[in-house]
């Protein structure tokens, strides 16, 4: 589906309010950082990320939303850290009971975003939804993962920079096709934690800027029907859990 210029501009404006400001409150209230003119391009995950879960291969997750299943294929081949983080959080039951705090369908279908652990708390202020992430019980700190995008033809991902900023001309392997699953983040590239979104239509203008890590295989009708404040009943790994690698000993429900 082609996006006309007016719709594209509106979508970019929505993106600024929806994703860039949606993951960390401190980023949402601060001025955008200056982007480096020649940021480093990292071919392999730096040692700083060695403590993060990784998925070596693929997995499938069954997410139940309002009693209806959605099957997601998670791609650790092209997004090992991003996919590993998601599978690890599913295993920890982080998403069970959380809600979709932003759903945007006008002026065109855009995204359904959820995964803020704060939204599981019935006493939490709804105005804070979209500012939280996963607090790792092993560290007491919010886990952040790097922006991870594999360009077509590359043997490993680029970390820490959108492809355009990193001066990578190839499109990403994992694109924002309808049904894509990707990580939301603040303006800082390496700020994704637990919040994710479903692409409700083809969103080419996000390619190379946000990390896609999966695709809806079954239940896209369920995704299309998500309304704001709908909850995730449960999420479980139904295939490929043996591909998860984690150096964190506290790999369990939290």
């Amino acid at each position: 589906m082609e996006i006309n210029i007016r719709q594209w501009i509106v979508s970019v404006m929505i993106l600024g309010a929806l994703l860039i400001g949606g993951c960390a409150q401190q980023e949402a209230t601060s001025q955008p950082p200056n982007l480096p003119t020649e940021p480093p391009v990292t071919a392999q995950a730096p040692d700083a990320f060695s403590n993060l879960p990784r998925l070596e291969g693929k997995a499938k997750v069954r997410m139940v939303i309002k009693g209806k299943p959605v099957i997601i294929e998670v791609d650790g081949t092209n997004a090992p850290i991003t996919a590993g983080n998601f599978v690890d959080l599913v295993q920890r039951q982080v998403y069970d009971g959380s809600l979709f705090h932003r759903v945007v369908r006008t002026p065109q279908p855009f995204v359904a975003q959820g995964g803020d652990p704060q939204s599981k708390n019935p006493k939490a202020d709804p105005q804070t939804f979209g500012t939280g992430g996963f607090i790792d019980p092993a560290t007491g700190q919010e886990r952040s993962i790097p922006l991870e995008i594999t360009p077509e033809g590359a043997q490993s991902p680029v970390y820490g920079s959108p492809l355009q900023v990193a001066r990578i001309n190839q499109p990403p392997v994992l694109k924002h096709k309808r049904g894509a699953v990707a990580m939301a983040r603040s303006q800082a590239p390496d700020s994704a934690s637990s919040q994710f979104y479903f692409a409700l239509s083809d969103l080419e203008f996000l390619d190379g800027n946000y990390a896609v890590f999966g695709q809806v295989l079954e239940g896209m009708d369920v995704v299309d029907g998500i309304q704001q404040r709908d909850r995730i009943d449960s999420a479980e790994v139904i295939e490929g859990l043996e591909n998860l690698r984690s150096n964190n000993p506290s790999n369990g429900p939290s």
Side-chain angles (χ1 to χ4, degrees), residues 116-224:
D116 184 344
Q118 296 180 116
S119 67
K120 300 170 68 170
N121 182 358
K123 297 182 179 180
D125 182 354
Q127 293 185 355
T128 67
F129 297 167
T131 66
F134 168 64
I135 304 300
D136 192 331
T139 64
Q141 303 295 319
E142 181 172 308
R143 177 198 287 173
S144 295
I145 62 171
L147 178 63
E148 177 184 52
I149 302 174
T150 299
E152 289 183 352
Q155 295 184 353
S156 57
V158 170
Y159 290 94
S161 295
L163 294 190
Q164 295 89 336
V165 176
R167 300 185 180 182
I168 304 295
N169 295 323
Q170 299 96 318
V173 174
L174 301 178
K175 300 178 176 64
H176 282 80
K177 298 295 185 181
R178 172 173 150 80
V181 191
M183 294 303 291
R185 62 175 177 84
S186 72
Q187 292 170 339
D190 297 343
S191 60
S193 181
S194 61
Q195 292 185 48
F196 69 95
Y197 58 92
F198 292 113
L200 301 181
S201 62
D202 292 350
L203 304 171
E204 296 92 341
F205 63 93
L206 297 185
D207 289 346
N209 289 289
Y210 291 83
V212 174
F213 64 88
Q215 181 72 34
V216 174
L217 296 181
E218 301 176 26
M220 193 60 202
D221 59 324
V222 179
V223 173
D224 285 336

Side-chain angles (χ1 to χ4, degrees), residues 1-42:
M1 178 182 68
E2 291 188 359
I3 302 175
N4 64 38
I5 296 299
R6 182 177 180 182
Q7 289 177 317
W8 185 87
I9 293 173
V10 173
S11 295
V12 172
M13 293 174 65
I14 293 173
L15 173 64
L18 177 65
L19 298 178
I20 294 178
C23 280
Q25 191 172 24
Q26 61 187 24
E27 290 292 340
T29 57
S30 62
Q31 294 298 318
N34 293 323
L35 295 174
T37 55
E38 295 187 9
V41 176
T42 306

